[in-house]
Amino acid sequence: MLGLISGAFVGFTLGLVGGGGSVLAVPLLVYFVGVPSPHVAIGSSAAAVAVNALMSLANHARAGTIKWRCASVFALFGIAGAFGGSSLGKIINGDKLLALFALLMIAVSYLMLRQRGSPGYPAVRLNRENFPRLAGAGLTAGALSGFFGIGGGFLVVPGLMFASDMPILNAIGSSLVAVAAFAVTTAANYAYSDLVDWDLAGTLVIGGAFGGLIGAAAARRLSKMRGALSAVFATVVFAVALYVLWRSGDALGLIHHTAKSA
């Protein structure tokens, strides 16, 4: 039941404000559902994200918003990054991994508050100029996605816009190609090490589908408030990140070590 509630909440926030909602899945599984292992929480979350991304991808494909060639290059290089990132994540101490995850959440809240000003170029195509940028951005986003077991849409969307100058509408649709590929790679890597609770992942998917419908309906009613809703949600993500840092046993030591290294 707690897994269904968590999935519904994540699905609702994704439907309401867009990318960034799945970053809450791991903290919910660890601190609300009570999954004892952060690694199992990450593996199970990645499996659920993969299914949800594939379902959303089908909807965007029918709408014709996907730039398939650009998205494919981004995803292919990102798969290598996701495999490397997820392999590294499995061997990191759980408390340290949660502390790093919290720092990523702070970055997510910042990116959600930041406005995207460029309208983009609707007729963008894969070419020699944007290929290296797409490959590099895909590799980086995939590595972070795999390391933390998240969909990474909040990284992929601006990454695609930066690398190819595509409009945000196309970037959102195209990002799902990469998000699905990253999540499948991460989930498979964790499943190989028996770090996926498939029953829990299934409840997240069911709850997420239900919550997503409610969130999408609410988004249509509150379309004029999307900016304010995103700001509120970014604040929630930031607050949860501080809570995760506080709960993580190695958080203060990690922050001290990072500051000392800098």
Side-chain angles (χ1 to χ4, degrees):
M1 181 59 68
L2 294 178
L4 282 171
I5 294 172
S6 298
F9 180 74
V10 171
F12 175 78
T13 54
L14 282 170
L16 184 64
V17 299
S22 61
V23 77
L24 289 177
V26 171
L28 282 170
L29 290 179
V30 174
Y31 300 119
F32 180 63
V33 179
V35 176
S37 168
H39 295 103
V40 172
I42 288 174
S44 304
S45 172
V49 167
V51 176
N52 288 332
L54 288 170
M55 291 190 296
S56 298
L57 178 62
N59 294 331
H60 280 270
R62 285 194 294 269
T65 60
I66 300 174
K67 297 289 185 180
W68 287 102
R69 292 186 178 181
C70 291
S72 297
V73 170
F74 195 101
L76 285 173
F77 280 86
I79 286 172
F83 179 78
S86 58
S87 298
L88 179 61
K90 289 192 296 184
I91 64 175
I92 298 293
N93 174 271
D95 285 333
K96 289 182 178 179
L97 192 59
L98 285 174
L100 289 169
F101 195 94
L103 296 179
L104 178 72
M105 291 177 70
I106 293 174
V108 173
S109 64
Y110 169 75
L111 288 173
M112 291 186 70
L113 288 171
R114 185 179 178 183
Q115 293 183 350
R116 302 181 179 97
S118 174
Y121 178 56
V124 63
R125 296 173 60 91
L126 180 66
N127 54 50
R128 293 181 179 179
E129 182 179 349
N130 60 32
F131 181 92
R133 296 201 302 268
L134 285 165
L139 187 67
T140 303
L144 290 171
S145 175
F147 186 75
F148 292 109
I150 57 175
F154 67 93
L155 292 171
V156 177
V157 171
L160 283 168
M161 295 175 68
F162 165 77
S164 66
D165 198 32
M166 67 174 64
I168 186 171
L169 178 63
N170 296 114
I172 291 172
S174 301
S175 73
L176 291 167
V177 177
V179 169
F182 299 169
V184 168
T185 303
T186 301
N189 200 351
Y190 272 75
Y192 179 77
S193 301
D194 197 25
L195 292 172
V196 176
D197 184 331
W198 293 107
D199 291 337
L200 179 58
T203 61
L204 288 174
V205 171
I206 295 170
F210 179 72
L213 292 174
I214 298 175
R220 288 191 292 269
R221 289 178 175 270
L222 302 173
S223 58
K224 294 181 179 180
M225 298 175 57
R226 289 292 290 276
L229 290 170
S230 295
V232 170
F233 184 62
T235 303
V236 171
V237 172
F238 181 77
V240 173
L242 294 181
Y243 177 77
V244 174
L245 280 173
W246 176 68
R247 286 291 301 268
S248 175
D250 289 342
L252 294 178
L254 177 66
I255 294 173
H256 175 73
H257 177 73
T258 302
K260 186 178 180 180
S261 298

